[in-house]
């Protein structure tokens, strides 16, 4: 495994690989790796000559200072985990200064309104931060293919939109959500949950499954009410939002449609915020 801590050394290495016409797959992460991340790495490895994994906790996408401070940083363990599944990859773990060159601020992006829904409403500035770092990382790596999890479905659609609008030459590949045995979507933030909270958080996916079943007969509004009621009596999990939205536009769906539709949820557990989603049709 090769590990690079700055763009210049990464680029010096990648230049040679590009000259040899090797295809480059890219998996951007913020570290604290779990099986969901590893599944993206395996997919990239199967579909490309070279896989680059970035590990970088991007300060500009955090709208909450405590969340940024408490975000788990476990670089040595992450490297061991990657090494155990594949020791022929490239890890790019730059510093904030190297990525931002002393100017740690977001650019401003328009994602045709995708940024105004759900996570965008609840995390002001979040998607400007995501757009900024993904653009910088794409410039540093110049991948042929880049792998993103459907766990962050809104982010996946926003990255697709950015690539389309800015004409970046990369194929974006969405990958399925990996879950704990109790259904909880794997997330680096799960490390901050107590055992009881982690167990109880299985309720999020159980409710999404129940919502999906109801959606076969009920209206979108009836399903929204069902989910809100389901969380009302839960003392551990606080519902932040539940939405049923069009996958392409992310606009709320009020009447059943043939268009691909998905349910999205955000829940607060203690001081940890969890998100999940499920395809409805
Ligand atoms: P993160 O480190 O949380 O920024 O995630 C890095 C990438 O891994 C993103 O594309 C995420 O959507 C993806 N990812 C995170 N959790 C999961 C999961 N449980 N299953 C599949 N992909 C995931």
């Amino acid at each position: 495994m090769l590990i690079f801590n700055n763009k210049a050394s990464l680029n010096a290495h990648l230049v040679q690989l590009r000259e040899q016409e090797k295809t480059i797959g890219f998996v951007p992460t913020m570290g604290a790796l779990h099986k969901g991340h590893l599944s993206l790495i395996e997919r990239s490895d199967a579909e490309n000559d070279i896989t680059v994994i970035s590990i970088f906790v991007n300060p500009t996408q955090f709208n909450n200072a405590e969340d940024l401070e408490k975000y788990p940083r476990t670089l040595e363990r992450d490297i061991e985990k990657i090494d155990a599944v594949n020791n022929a990859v490239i890890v790019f773990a730059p510093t904030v200064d190297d990525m931002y060159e002393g100017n740690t601020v977001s650019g401003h992006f328009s994602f045709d309104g995708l940024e105004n829904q759900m996570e965008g409403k609840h995390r002001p500035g979040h998607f400007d931060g995501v757009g900024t770092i993904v653009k910088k990382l794409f410039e540093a790596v110049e991948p042929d293919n880049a792998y993103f999890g459907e766990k962050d479905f809104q982010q996946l659609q926003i990255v697709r939109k950015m690539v389309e609008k800015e004409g970046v030459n990369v194929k974006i590949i969405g990958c399925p959500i990996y879950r704990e045995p109790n259904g909880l979507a794997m997330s680096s933030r799960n490390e901050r949950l107590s055992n009881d909270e982690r167990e109880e958080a299985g309720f999020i996916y159980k409710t999404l499954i129940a919502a999906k079943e109801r959606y076969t007969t009920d209206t979108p509004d009836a399903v929204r009410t069902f989910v809100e009621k389901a969380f009302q009596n839960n003392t551990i999990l606080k519902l932040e939002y539940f939405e049923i939205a069009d996958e392409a536009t992310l606009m709320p769906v009020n009447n059943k449609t043939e268009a691909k539709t998905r349910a999205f949820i955000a829940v607060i557990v203690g001081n940890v915020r969890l998100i999940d989603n499920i395809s409805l049709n």
Side-chain angles (χ1 to χ4, degrees), residues 201-218:
F203 183 75
I204 300 168
Y205 186 55
K206 287 192 188 82
T207 309
L208 286 181
I209 297 273
K212 181 178 171 116
E213 270 165 28
R214 290 197 172 233
Y215 192 72
T216 58
T217 51
D218 290 4

Side-chain angles (χ1 to χ4, degrees), residues 17-60:
L17 297 174
R18 286 189 209 106
E19 272 169 12
Q20 296 163 27
E21 301 198 350
K22 303 271 191 206
T23 55
I24 299 176
F26 179 40
V27 182
T29 82
M30 297 206 298
L33 300 184
H34 50 67
K35 285 189 189 143
H37 295 118
L38 299 179
S39 73
L40 269 53
I41 295 170
E42 280 167 9
R43 173 102 183 251
S44 171
D45 184 53
E47 297 179 357
N48 300 276
D49 297 323
I50 311 287
T51 287
V52 178
I53 302 146
S54 64
I55 298 180
F56 181 69
V57 180
N58 173 37
T60 65

Side-chain angles (χ1 to χ4, degrees), residues 27-37 39-40 61 71 147-153 155 175-179 185-189:
V27 182
T29 82
M30 297 206 298
L33 300 184
H34 50 67
K35 285 189 189 143
H37 295 118
S39 73
L40 269 53
Q61 73 188 69
Y71 200 87
Y147 297 80
F148 290 82
E150 290 184 348
K151 156 82 172 29
D152 302 281
F153 194 86
Q155 168 176 280
C175 303
I177 304 174
Y178 267 61
R179 300 181 178 280
M186 287 185 182
S187 164
S188 305
R189 289 186 177 86

